[in-house]
Amino acid sequence: LPSGTLWADRNVGADSPEDYGDYFAWGETSTKSTYNWRTHKWCQGSSTSMTKYCTKSSNGTVDNKTVLDLEDDAAYVNMGAEWCMPTETQMSELQSKCTWTWTTQNGTNGYKVTGPNGNSIFLPAAGCRNGSSLNNAGSNGYYWSALLADIYPISSWCLYFKSSDRSRVNRDRYDGHTVRAVAR
């Protein structure tokens, strides 16, 4: 990409580009069986009891952290120090500077994302985890960024897509989403 950003060829925890990989709540580095406020690492059971990454007193203890610390970055912790979760700017560049083609690759739906130099990555439509369920696998993709949402601070920014749409959305931090790493 023009910025020099290098994207990993598969999701964190995946064995191949088509494999969904692992699902993480934002700011957490391991998987779990249930994704909700009661199980979220950085709160005490509700969206009004945040203990880290909080910008509003009505949501908990304010620390004004809006970008993940490396020890809370799923890519950094699971893939090593040369990787991290993408910034908002890196995700925007991926959306605006690449050609996106909805396709099925080895039986998995998702987007082939081709950069200006002709190199490509495949982003599987891995769905998301909420509670103990996997939702929208095969039709939607949700990929976390490293940035807290400024407009709704109990959520974080992610890249969302389906076959007919791609956009930046904010999602509750407890949701289990996939992560695609970028080189540090």
Side-chain angles (χ1 to χ4, degrees):
L1 294 174
S3 68
T5 299
L6 299 174
W7 289 78
D9 70 344
R10 64 195 67 191
N11 290 346
V12 175
D15 293 325
S16 71
E18 300 84 15
D19 183 9
Y20 292 163
D22 293 331
Y23 296 82
F24 301 93
W26 190 84
E28 297 185 15
T29 59
S30 59
T31 62
K32 53 191 177 182
S33 58
T34 304
Y35 294 81
N36 59 37
W37 286 124
R38 290 182 303 284
T39 64
H40 194 272
K41 180 178 181 178
W42 300 116
C43 78
Q44 296 173 330
S46 76
S47 63
T48 61
S49 62
M50 297 291 162
T51 59
K52 191 172 183 182
Y53 305 108
C54 186
T55 59
K56 284 180 145 179
S57 61
S58 59
N59 294 118
T61 305
V62 173
D63 61 8
N64 287 317
K65 287 180 175 266
T66 58
V67 178
L68 286 174
D69 291 332
L70 287 176
E71 65 263 19
D72 302 323
D73 182 312
Y76 181 85
V77 170
N78 289 283
M79 293 178 63
E82 59 274 358
W83 298 100
C84 65
M85 290 170 61
T87 65
E88 170 67 17
T89 302
Q90 290 167 322
M91 282 193 155
S92 293
E93 181 185 42
L94 188 71
Q95 283 185 269
S96 66
K97 302 293 183 190
C98 296
T99 302
W100 290 63
T101 307
W102 183 260
T103 188
T104 301
Q105 185 168 302
N106 294 325
T108 302
N109 292 336
Y111 272 104
K112 180 179 179 183
V113 183
T114 306
N117 64 359
N119 291 341
S120 65
I121 58 173
F122 179 74
L123 295 175
C128 69
R129 293 203 172 272
N130 185 287
S132 57
S133 299
L134 175 59
N135 302 308
N136 303 314
S139 60
N140 297 11
Y142 304 84
Y143 285 79
W144 284 130
S145 78
L147 185 64
L148 188 69
D150 51 351
I151 60 172
Y152 190 53
I154 63 167
S155 61
S156 299
W157 290 115
C158 81
L159 170 64
Y160 163 77
F161 62 76
K162 57 186 177 181
S163 63
S164 61
D165 183 38
R166 296 181 313 279
S167 58
R168 176 185 92 148
V169 297
N170 57 310
R171 298 278 297 177
D172 284 337
R173 292 158 39 173
Y174 70 78
D175 283 331
H177 294 327
T178 50
V179 171
R180 180 60 63 100
V182 294
R184 290 184 68 222

